[in-house]
Amino acid sequence: MAMNVTSERRDGVLWLNVSGRITILNAAEFEETVADEIGDGDRAVILDFENLVYISSAGLYAVLRIAKLMWQRDAAFALCSLSDAVHLIFERIGFAKIVAIHSTRAEALASLKD
């Protein structure tokens, strides 16, 4: 199963829908795709992982680098709609303590208004 990223923008929020698998073979492509999508007017980036079935350590590192890029721009960054398996990976390595993870898109959007 290949990795696929689609994007949509609403009110300065870049939503990236990620599906498939992020592995060592495509993690750099994933990171580059996301970085290329981020525009100057984006005040937040939210990765929607609802259809992501697997993420490797290389993929986790890519997510961390994307988060760092957004923090350097003083913009928000969050993840949402993780499957139980993917969420467990983020919890076990401690990412849940440094990256905002929300159950739904609505919850992620609401967090930007706080």
Side-chain angles (χ1 to χ4, degrees):
M1 174 182 285
M3 183 255 326
N4 187 43
V5 179
T6 59
S7 66
E8 57 187 281
R9 234 179 222 94
R10 280 188 237 149
D11 302 322
V13 178
L14 175 62
W15 293 90
L16 294 160
N17 303 298
V18 185
S19 62
R21 301 169 56 88
I22 302 174
T23 68
I24 194 166
L25 300 175
N26 63 11
E29 175 189 353
F30 163 71
E31 183 178 345
E32 184 177 321
T33 298
V34 172
D36 287 348
E37 285 289 332
I38 298 169
D40 291 336
D42 293 328
R43 63 182 178 87
V45 169
I46 299 176
L47 299 181
D48 186 331
F49 281 168
E50 181 176 14
N51 296 307
L52 185 71
V53 296
Y54 175 80
I55 188 165
S56 70
S57 58
L60 293 168
Y61 183 64
V63 170
L64 185 59
R65 290 175 47 92
I66 295 162
K68 184 177 177 183
L69 173 67
M70 295 308 295
W71 296 330
Q72 288 171 341
R73 297 170 64 128
D74 198 29
F77 178 77
L79 309 174
C80 73
S81 306
L82 283 67
S83 68
D84 290 341
V86 172
H87 193 271
L88 184 60
I89 292 168
F90 278 88
E91 284 287 332
R92 286 212 172 137
I93 63 162
F95 264 41
K97 294 178 182 172
I98 58 172
V99 174
I101 299 176
H102 304 283
S103 299
T104 65
R105 286 177 69 122
E107 187 180 294
L109 186 58
S111 75
L112 298 177
K113 297 175 183 174
D114 292 342

